Amino acid sequence: MIPFNKPPYTGNEDQYVLQAMRSEKMSGDGDFTKRCHSWFEKELSCKKALLTPSCTAALEMAALLIDIQPGDEVIMPSYTFVSTANAFVLRGAKVVFVDVRPDTMNIDESKIESAINSKTKAIVPVHYAGVACEMDTIMDIASRHNIYVIEDAAQGMMSTYKGQALGTIGHIGTYSFHETKNYTSGGEGGLLIINDDQFKERAEIIREKGTNRSQFFRGMVDKYSWVDIGSSYLPSDIQAAYLWGQLEKANEINNNRLDSWSYYFENLKMLESKGKIELAIIPSHCKCNAHMFYMKVSDMQTRSDLINHLKDCEIVAVFHYIPLHTSVAGEKVAGCMVKILIQPTTARDYLDYLFFMV
Ligand SMILES: *Cc1c(COP(=O)(O)O)cnc(C)c1O
């Protein structure tokens, strides 16, 4: 049986988790958290990295940081996970969905500007499948209209856009370490990236329940107290320890995924040239992390047939997002897409079956 997803595991996680459990400080911002923060700041080349309990939490922090007020508008693709929208809706924002490009399934940058008005506060590009959105264009639009860019890079660890790590280009970036992502901090986890200096201090405060506790630990204040709104956005050091076991082997994990991805891609190209499926397109200036392998088929019936056939062959494939604008909580703006998605874990058996179908 080939599962839909196999969480990454290097074997070193166990010893680090045990170490964190037996240390004097299991709560947030312990030794492993500090190690992870330094690793991200160096490897991603960013000003500030803060672990969070999830990408959802990091997105909520972003909404607090840019001070979303009721009635503000936030632009994002409809083809994304619910958290991208929820984080802003929770602060009273109105979400404006912009359609995606069919080649990358990322927000269509050429349609963003027409969605901007005086209430627009931010654009939230989602780097689908770890392939970058057109960030030069998006940053240019944002600076001309004086609005923020919050990158939802949940799927994008180790991916780049013109050499720059995803999440480090906009004012704020967010990552996920949920077990379905390329790296996990033990099932749930996330990361907030601060690229704009004005948010550095307040991000620490919001993350520490609205207190200046981080400044207190650095000896900058005598006593810590309630200074702003905030919530509990610190993961425990045990989660950071699990993640550390993976960051140490980050390249190994990445190369392994890329190998599987390329194997699928090379062997399925034939079906694409016959017009049976559409494969992902990765622009040459984008380096991808093989977060997922997806194929698009022509219609819902073909999709169901393929998923069922694969299931009979003990291969789990699923279809991906139901566009948010068609969901119960969503708004009606963008178009609908049909696709199936498979995470690259074990390529071989899957290919055999698919070739049988041809
Ligand atoms: C996974 C994901 C999230 C949510 O991540 P969590 O860590 O589970 O909160 C948000 N946005 C996108 C695009 C995702 O893929």
Side-chain angles (χ1 to χ4, degrees):
M1 152 96 169
I2 299 174
F4 165 64
N5 177 64
K6 217 161 68 185
Y9 178 72
T10 67
N12 288 343
E13 294 86 349
D14 307 42
Q15 75 185 78
Y16 293 142
V17 164
L18 209 59
Q19 216 175 304
M21 281 167 61
R22 294 189 176 151
S23 73
E24 302 283 295
K25 190 168 163 39
M26 280 193 284
S27 62
D29 284 342
D31 278 348
F32 284 105
T33 305
K34 285 183 187 127
R35 275 193 229 184
C36 291
H37 286 174
S38 314
W39 191 91
F40 289 122
E41 283 163 15
K42 182 166 165 280
E43 297 297 322
L44 306 180
S45 194
C46 66
K47 289 192 178 135
K48 194 162 196 65
L50 293 168
L51 288 186
T52 59
S54 63
C55 182
T56 302
L59 286 161
E60 287 177 20
M61 285 183 71
L64 287 165
L65 282 167
I66 62 167
D67 200 24
I68 291 285
Q69 296 295 317
D72 286 347
E73 294 190 7
V74 178
I75 293 171
M76 64 183 65
S78 166
Y79 193 67
T80 181
F81 188 61
V82 295
S83 297
T84 319
N86 261 334
F88 298 91
V89 172
L90 277 168
R91 308 304 312 156
K94 190 175 155 221
V95 171
V96 178
F97 294 121
V98 166
D99 208 352
V100 293
R101 302 160 46 136
D103 57 350
T104 56
M105 303 302 278
N106 280 333
I107 191 165
D108 186 338
E109 68 282 357
S110 71
K111 295 188 177 140
I112 291 175
E113 203 141 16
S114 59
I116 293 177
N117 63 39
S118 60
K119 291 189 182 140
T120 309
K121 192 88 181 250
I123 305 168
V124 189
V126 178
H127 304 297
Y128 185 68
V131 178
C133 297
E134 270 317 311
M135 291 309 291
D136 279 353
T137 309
I138 292 169
M139 293 311 289
D140 174 60
I141 294 170
S143 79
R144 279 191 285 106
H145 293 273
N146 201 19
I147 53 184
Y148 294 115
V149 174
I150 314 289
E151 293 178 73
D152 183 342
Q155 306 172 7
M157 185 55 68
M158 305 297 271
S159 290
T160 60
Y161 172 78
K162 298 187 179 174
Q164 257 184 290
L166 303 191
T168 69
I169 304 162
H171 300 86
I172 297 173
T174 65
Y175 278 107
S176 172
F177 301 124
H178 184 264
E179 69 177 0
T180 52
K181 303 303 200 288
N182 293 23
Y183 303 89
T184 183
S185 46
E188 304 279 352
L191 181 73
L192 181 78
I193 305 273
I194 302 293
N195 305 311
D196 184 333
D197 285 334
Q198 66 165 312
F199 298 128
K200 271 167 111 174
E201 200 174 298
R202 191 156 179 247
E204 285 184 342
I205 290 167
I206 287 172
R207 183 165 167 268
E208 279 276 24
K209 299 103 184 161
T211 73
N212 54 356
R213 195 156 167 252
S214 298
Q215 291 170 354
F216 171 71
F217 280 126
R218 284 200 298 269
M220 289 160 69
V221 288
D222 294 339
K223 227 173 150 176
Y224 78 84
S225 63
W226 189 22
V227 294
D228 202 338
I229 55 168
S231 189
S232 185
Y233 289 129
L234 274 84
S236 93
D237 213 46
I238 295 176
Q239 286 169 280
Y242 197 98
L243 182 62
W244 182 248
Q246 311 208 332
L247 295 184
E248 275 190 330
K249 304 216 167 167
N251 283 320
E252 214 169 285
I253 292 172
N254 195 39
N255 290 336
N256 184 34
R257 291 188 86 98
L258 286 166
D259 283 349
S260 300
W261 197 96
S262 304
Y263 185 85
Y264 278 115
F265 194 84
E266 288 308 314
N267 289 283
L268 287 166
K269 268 202 308 219
M270 183 183 98
L271 286 180
E272 187 173 48
S273 60
K274 286 185 183 166
K276 303 227 179 233
I277 55 170
E278 271 179 65
L279 295 174
I281 289 170
I282 300 168
S284 59
H285 54 278
C286 300
K287 212 176 84 197
C288 171
N289 63 356
H291 171 61
M292 64 173 88
F293 191 94
Y294 70 85
M295 295 183 292
K296 288 192 273 183
V297 294
S298 56
D299 54 67
M300 211 77 95
Q301 190 58 50
T302 313
R303 181 178 87 176
S304 303
D305 291 349
L306 184 54
I307 289 174
N308 285 334
H309 175 75
L310 291 170
K311 197 166 140 204
D312 290 343
C313 304
E314 301 197 306
I315 298 162
V316 183
V318 299
F319 62 88
H320 213 192
Y321 303 131
I322 293 166
L324 295 183
H325 73 283
T326 64
S327 64
V328 175
E331 264 196 30
K332 219 175 169 61
V333 183
C336 184
M337 303 95 197
V338 179
K339 63 188 283 272
I340 76 152
L341 164 136
I342 299 167
Q343 302 246 7
T345 42
T346 327
R348 271 138 255 244
D349 299 5
Y350 170 71
L351 285 174
D352 291 341
Y353 289 120
L354 206 65
F355 286 148
F356 283 174
M357 289 176 58
V358 180

